[in-house]
Amino acid sequence: MEKDQHELYEYARKRLKQKKGLYFHFVLLTLGSIFLFIANHFEAFGFKSNWCIWVISIWAFVFILHFIKVYITDRFMNKNWEREQIDKLVAKQQTKIDQLSTKIDEDFSKKT
């Protein structure tokens, strides 16, 4: 397998693993929410308030963060994005090095 094909395969495998984890998280959230509602209804833990709403809300917020990471953040900030950012930084550094080198050459030529 060529290097580019291998990178594409690894990226696809990583994305599939992320999506699989997100789907598992969703199923766990759904089943856990059902359990918490039932436990709250029967006052299984000795609390008489609607504590399960708070727990499920926090859990849903964490799930939304997980969703954003998988479908928004990681979708745009992949290997190509990393390469572009590295190339920009290297070009910027090279420009600064060239400017400093030119300045040193000008200073040296003024002194001689």
Side-chain angles (χ1 to χ4, degrees):
M1 208 185 284
E2 290 181 17
K3 184 179 179 183
D4 291 336
Q5 286 180 330
H6 183 68
E7 285 181 5
L8 289 173
Y9 173 77
E10 287 298 321
Y11 176 73
R13 201 174 109 222
K14 178 185 168 195
R15 291 289 296 155
L16 181 63
K17 188 175 182 179
Q18 287 177 335
K19 288 179 182 181
K20 185 178 176 182
L22 182 68
Y23 298 149
F24 178 76
H25 190 174
F26 177 73
V27 170
L28 195 62
L29 172 64
T30 304
L31 294 175
S33 297
I34 292 169
F35 170 76
L36 290 172
F37 271 123
I38 291 170
N40 187 47
H41 178 70
F42 290 111
E43 298 175 6
F45 297 111
F47 299 110
K48 294 186 179 187
S49 64
N50 284 332
W51 55 269
C52 69
I53 300 298
W54 290 103
V55 174
I56 293 169
S57 297
I58 292 169
W59 197 353
F61 179 73
V62 171
F63 174 76
I64 290 169
L65 291 177
H66 189 178
F67 178 86
I68 290 170
K69 181 186 181 311
V70 170
Y71 279 104
I72 297 174
T73 307
D74 284 353
R75 185 180 209 183
F76 297 111
M77 294 183 181
N78 55 21
K79 288 285 183 185
N80 292 333
W81 180 83
E82 286 179 15
R83 284 188 193 136
E84 289 173 8
Q85 296 302 313
I86 289 171
D87 290 343
K88 285 181 184 178
L89 290 173
V90 167
K92 194 181 280 188
Q93 288 174 346
Q94 190 61 43
T95 304
K96 286 183 180 182
I97 289 171
D98 292 341
Q99 289 173 349
L100 288 173
S101 177
T102 305
K103 185 176 179 182
I104 290 172
D105 290 341
E106 288 174 358
D107 290 345
F108 182 72
S109 64
K110 286 180 184 178
K111 289 182 180 180
T112 57

